[in-house]
Amino acid sequence: MSFASPGQDQISFHHGQNLAHFHNDHVSFQLQGFLYHPEMCRKKCGFFGNPAWHGYCSRCWIQKRQQAQSLTNRNHTENLQMKPDITVNTQHLSRKYHFQDSTNDIKVKSDQQYTRNTNTYQTVTNLVCPLSRTSLLSLTEGDFSDFLKTLRRPDAQQLWTHCTNFIQRIQKAENLTVDEKTEEVQTFYQQMVAHYPGHMSEEKDRLLDNIEKLVMTRLYKSVFCLDGSQDEQKDLSFQERIRSLSWVTSKMLQLPLVEENEDVKEGIPCAVTALIEVDSKRAPQDKLSCVSRACNYLFKAIQSSKKEPATADDFLSCLIYTTLKANPPHLLSNLQYITRFCNPKRLMTGECGYCFTNLCCAASFIETLDASSLGLTQEEFNCLMRQQVSEVSPVISCIGQSTVQQIQRNKKLLSALRHRQDVLIQKAECLGREVKAWSLSVQGEVQEIIRRFPLETKQSSPKSCV
């Protein structure tokens, strides 16, 4: 696949390549009346920032939250120490969220065990001994089911116990906020890979993928869209926003697609299905895979329509259109969940990171979409938002005419199917009554025959002995 902006040479994109180091001019996305120009991370670390992370890349955003949390914990500890009736045992934690290969010794970090009845906490150090090379290779071979089977072996029992204890501790820590759980999970990821040398980077990545799937599958209900949070309300508001934009067409977004093309007819529905499927997955990497699969369908459709590789602005416009058509449930919560609990290295590099960043941009575009974004007048935009199609210009009315006709045909088809279903149910009920009546009639006839012709048994006389 390759991406290019208008007026720029196309850029080849290979799986695993760090897209964050492309020049800004190559990744500008421009729609009619709307220009998205990715900015470098606010900390100038070399990666691109993301609107979902307030201009930071995922690694710097995690560091910023961790620093803020450390400051809050330090102030909280000082306040507790001023009270004579409360004793606090704390330990300064220094966390750096990076996944670069290193052969230096890394200090073992402590897991915080929070209590429910007091405002104090104690730190408990859980040592994680590195696995042997043989055990590590066996844990990284095969799929996730093979990983679970291998994890039950005696040489991996310590890793299994550590993962299980961590999961149970987070599940029981009801007083922890989601951000605090995020810090705990990211620290746990770092602990898992901190003991292996640099020449085993591939094994470390595969091990971390399996551990991430194991941990987050079981912690999903404890961290995703919790009761009492505002996440669900934001998701519902965003879904309502997309429903109000159901009139947006491919022509308004200037999609480079030929609707008669077979790849387009097949690719767009498949991409819509993949985006909807994101909410059914639990592990962040599985959700990310659904996003990547949807984007691959779009790349194929664009390339088939244009007979050339897709450009960045074409891809973003198609992704916005697909998101509007799919209206995925809990989209904002899923984006936030992936940002919080996915391996940061996966979000910063490679195809998955690129697709995820574009999906965040698409969601941001939909939230701020206005008349100028679609090349409409404000009056036309307001009429469409109020669903007053009669007041819209004839050109826009013609665009939505085919959609309205298709809806009417679908309604007639559904009405006919409902009538056929009612007739079928009536016939089935009638058949059931007939079967029951026939059974009763046969039983009555048998009883009548027995009454009219009773069976008589004759006793034979005993034979005389000769």
Side-chain angles (χ1 to χ4, degrees):
M1 293 179 289
S2 63
F3 309 93
S5 299
Q8 299 289 343
D9 296 334
Q10 292 179 349
I11 305 170
S12 299
F13 170 62
H14 304 286
H15 180 72
Q17 184 177 355
N18 189 348
L19 291 168
H21 291 95
F22 285 167
H23 192 272
N24 289 3
D25 295 338
H26 292 300
V27 287
S28 297
F29 308 127
Q30 185 171 8
L31 301 175
Q32 183 174 355
F34 176 81
L35 177 63
Y36 176 75
H37 189 76
E39 300 290 344
M40 298 299 292
C41 175
R42 293 171 61 180
K43 294 188 69 174
K44 308 299 181 182
C45 65
F47 293 101
F48 279 117
N50 190 309
W53 306 321
H54 302 280
Y56 293 96
C57 68
S58 62
R59 182 172 62 184
C60 295
W61 177 237
I62 291 175
Q63 291 178 349
K64 180 177 175 60
R65 292 207 319 268
Q66 187 275 333
Q67 291 172 359
Q69 184 64 29
S70 299
L71 180 60
T72 303
N73 290 340
R74 190 182 305 114
N75 294 336
H76 179 64
T77 301
E78 292 175 355
N79 293 335
L80 291 175
Q81 289 177 342
M82 294 175 62
K83 300 179 180 181
D85 296 334
I86 300 178
T87 59
V88 184
N89 180 18
T90 62
Q91 179 181 359
H92 179 67
L93 303 178
S94 176
R95 301 174 181 173
K96 294 184 179 178
Y97 292 99
H98 62 84
F99 290 82
Q100 301 174 350
D101 297 330
S102 174
T103 57
N104 297 331
D105 293 335
I106 300 179
K107 296 181 179 180
V108 178
K109 297 176 176 59
S110 60
D111 295 328
Q112 297 178 352
Q113 183 179 3
Y114 291 82
T115 59
R116 299 180 55 185
N117 298 326
T118 65
N119 293 327
T120 64
Y121 63 88
Q122 296 178 344
T123 58
V124 180
T125 302
N126 294 327
L127 298 178
V128 184
C129 297
L131 300 171
S132 64
R133 181 177 179 85
T134 304
S135 300
L136 179 61
L137 292 176
S138 62
L139 286 169
T140 57
E141 293 178 352
D143 55 11
F144 182 66
S145 60
D146 295 329
F147 168 76
L148 294 179
K149 294 177 182 177
T150 308
L151 202 59
R152 297 285 184 168
R153 287 171 25 179
D155 55 347
Q157 278 300 303
Q158 188 173 5
L159 178 61
W160 167 256
T161 302
H162 188 71
C163 292
T164 303
N165 292 339
F166 174 77
I167 292 170
Q168 293 176 351
R169 183 169 62 83
I170 297 299
Q171 288 176 337
K172 295 178 180 178
E174 298 179 357
N175 58 321
L176 286 182
T177 64
V178 177
D179 289 335
E180 290 172 339
K181 291 180 180 179
T182 302
E183 301 296 333
E184 293 290 329
V185 171
Q186 292 294 340
T187 302
F188 182 77
Y189 290 164
Q190 185 179 2
Q191 287 180 340
M192 293 296 100
V193 298
H195 304 279
Y196 303 103
H199 67 274
M200 303 180 69
S201 58
E202 295 183 3
E203 289 81 358
K204 288 194 298 184
D205 291 340
R206 289 196 295 268
L207 177 64
L208 185 57
D209 287 342
N210 289 328
I211 291 177
E212 175 192 305
K213 191 169 185 177
L214 171 65
V215 171
M216 296 315 304
T217 298
R218 296 180 59 181
L219 290 180
Y220 186 73
K221 293 184 179 180
S222 301
V223 296
F224 183 82
C225 204
L226 300 177
D227 295 337
S229 66
Q230 299 296 323
D231 294 342
E232 186 173 2
Q233 185 60 41
K234 292 179 181 178
D235 290 328
L236 294 175
S237 299
F238 189 73
Q239 282 192 298
E240 183 63 29
R241 168 70 172 174
I242 293 181
R243 279 193 289 269
S244 68
L245 296 172
S246 59
W247 47 266
V248 176
T249 64
S250 58
K251 293 183 179 180
M252 294 179 182
L253 292 173
Q254 300 179 347
L255 263 63
L257 300 177
V258 180
E259 296 183 359
E260 294 76 14
N261 189 290
E262 291 297 329
D263 289 334
V264 175
K265 291 181 180 179
E266 180 182 357
I268 297 298
C270 290
V272 168
T273 303
L275 287 182
I276 295 176
E277 190 180 354
V278 170
D279 193 55
S280 65
K281 304 298 182 180
R282 290 196 171 194
Q285 57 186 272
D286 291 340
K287 293 179 181 290
L288 210 55
S289 297
C290 292
V291 175
S292 180
R293 188 168 70 253
C295 294
N296 286 331
Y297 286 123
L298 297 180
F299 282 126
K300 183 178 179 181
I302 297 172
Q303 186 171 3
S304 180
S305 298
K306 297 182 64 177
K307 307 301 180 183
E308 60 182 13
T311 59
D313 52 341
D314 290 340
F315 167 63
L316 181 60
S317 61
C318 289
L319 185 57
I320 293 172
Y321 178 76
T322 305
T323 305
L324 290 173
K325 292 301 178 183
N327 196 2
H330 299 111
L331 178 59
L332 299 182
S333 292
N334 280 300
L335 294 178
Q336 193 174 45
Y337 175 79
I338 295 173
T339 302
R340 285 171 168 171
F341 299 104
C342 188
N343 178 3
K345 182 178 180 181
R346 187 185 291 272
L347 295 182
M348 292 189 296
T349 60
E351 180 182 351
C352 290
Y354 181 84
C355 295
F356 177 74
T357 301
N358 277 270
L359 183 58
C360 292
C361 296
S364 178
F365 176 83
I366 292 173
E367 286 184 319
T368 58
L369 186 145
D370 55 13
S372 61
S373 302
L374 301 175
L376 304 176
T377 63
Q378 190 62 42
E379 181 181 358
E380 291 173 338
F381 183 82
N382 293 336
C383 290
L384 285 170
M385 290 297 290
R386 293 193 301 266
Q387 297 298 315
Q388 296 177 356
V389 184
S390 59
E391 301 180 11
V392 185
S393 61
V395 176
I396 300 179
S397 298
C398 292
I399 293 175
Q401 185 176 3
S402 59
T403 303
V404 174
Q405 292 176 352
Q406 183 64 36
I407 293 175
Q408 293 175 350
R409 287 194 295 268
N410 292 340
K411 286 184 177 180
K412 292 180 180 179
L413 180 61
L414 288 174
S415 178
L417 291 175
R418 187 178 295 108
H419 176 70
R420 291 175 58 185
Q421 184 183 23
D422 293 338
V423 172
L424 183 61
I425 292 175
Q426 292 176 0
K427 290 182 177 180
E429 292 175 350
C430 181
L431 179 61
R433 290 193 297 268
E434 291 178 356
V435 170
K436 185 176 181 180
W438 176 81
S439 176
L440 293 176
S441 65
V442 171
Q443 185 178 1
E445 292 177 0
V446 171
Q447 295 295 333
E448 178 64 20
I449 292 173
I450 293 175
R451 186 185 65 79
R452 292 175 57 186
F453 305 100
L455 297 176
E456 296 181 358
T457 59
K458 296 182 179 181
Q459 294 182 355
S460 58
S461 58
K463 295 182 180 180
S464 58
C465 297
V466 180

